[in-house]
Amino acid sequence: MTIDQYRLEEEPTYHPSGDEVAFYESAYAARLPVMLKGPTGCGKTRFVEHMAWRLGKPLITVSCHEDMTASDLVGRFLLGPEGTHWQDGPLTMAVRHGAICYLDEVVEARQDTTVVIHSLTDDRRILPLEKKGELVHAHPDFQLVISYNPGYQSVLKDLKESTKQRFSAVDFTYPMASVEASIVASEADVSADIADKLVKIAEKSRHLRGQGLEEGASTRMLIHAGRLIKTGMTLTDACKHAIIVPITDDPDMRGALDAVVDACA
Ligand code: ADP
């Protein structure tokens, strides 16, 4: 596996909402670690892909989950026909070869995982591979980016203060209606009229957050609905399958969302 396979060949389309592109360019120039804060499906991953392409750097993305251990990030010894050999994990690969490493939903990972990133996020910029007995000094182009959804966190699953304070950060929210409608229209290849209707439905669903809905419909869900409409499905059915059924099991909440869709269809 070579690092070149992590280079983005085509520009990932990204519609900016504010000064996030300029901020990221400065953060990268200063090699500051970056935290992207915001709800799921609002464009964080797409943004980091776009920035990696813009800066011409390879991007290694890791989706963090609760069973993930430090070894999954750093690497491990594997048993092969000729004995054991070391295999770099995705983080080590990025550190050695100067990629941007994006840890998506980092709080999902176990605490020992977040400790691994500490020595990379201060002036030392080193990664100790304890099992291998090696200290890897980060390539000058290496940068660490994490995403964090403030809405989901419980006290048990939050980033430690000592971790948070190592990052520069930018807030992501759903884009303003006109921008979100152009994203939906271009990503799902639907008309502006349909995109506008989907965005209106999403905005209303977001107002139900905290009243029984953990989160409203994300931009990603609107794109899914748009893609179903593109196949010939009605707007009502598309919203049911791409938005309402995935986000809630509560019959009253489903009823409330059905009413929102009927009002906008
Ligand atoms: P997150 O990482 O925040 O969960 P993603 O970056 O995966 O969300 O966004 C979900 C989808 O929404 C993307 O695949 C893309 O199609 C679309 N999207 C969201 N925001 C934007 C944006 N600003 N520009 C272009 N596409 C976007």
Side-chain angles (χ1 to χ4, degrees), residues 17 23 38 86 92 98-99 102 142 168 176 214 227 233 239 246 248 263:
S17 283
F23 153 73
W86 174 263
T92 309
Y102 176 48
F142 167 77
S168 61
M176 62 190 248
E214 256 190 62
R227 288 188 184 149
M233 199 180 268
C239 288
T248 181

Side-chain angles (χ1 to χ4, degrees), residues 100-119:
I100 293 172
C101 185
Y102 176 48
L103 304 181
D104 194 7
E105 295 288 349
V106 73
V107 281
E108 291 297 331
R110 294 195 334 212
Q111 292 274 354
D112 65 328
T113 320
T114 37
V115 171
V116 166
I117 63 185
H118 277 193
S119 58

Side-chain angles (χ1 to χ4, degrees), residues 13-16 39-47 102 104 175 183 187 219-220 223 227:
T13 321
Y14 178 74
H15 299 253
T40 182
C42 72
K44 301 183 294 300
T45 303
R46 179 61 69 90
F47 172 69
Y102 176 48
D104 194 7
I183 295 170
E187 295 279 317
T219 311
R220 179 188 290 124
I223 295 166
R227 288 188 184 149

Side-chain angles (χ1 to χ4, degrees), residues 8 17 66 80 108 114 119 125 143 153 160-161 231 246 252 265:
L8 294 119
S17 283
E66 55 193 9
E108 291 297 331
T114 37
S119 58
R125 284 177 55 93
Q143 188 200 27
Q153 313 323 322
K160 286 203 273 184
E161 207 49 40
T231 70
D252 292 341

Side-chain angles (χ1 to χ4, degrees), residues 174-235:
Y174 302 113
M176 62 190 248
S178 57
V179 176
E180 191 167 32
S182 354
I183 295 170
V184 174
S186 63
E187 295 279 317
D189 193 19
V190 291
S191 69
D193 178 49
I194 288 175
D196 282 341
K197 284 181 178 162
L198 290 171
V199 169
K200 283 207 179 74
I201 293 167
E203 284 183 329
K204 293 200 169 138
S205 79
R206 289 167 196 164
H207 290 142
L208 295 170
R209 183 166 175 244
Q211 300 172 37
L213 258 201
E214 256 190 62
E215 212 138 281
S218 63
T219 311
R220 179 188 290 124
M221 291 185 135
L222 304 187
I223 295 166
H224 289 171
R227 288 188 184 149
L228 290 178
I229 293 169
K230 189 77 191 161
T231 70
M233 199 180 268
T234 62
L235 184 116

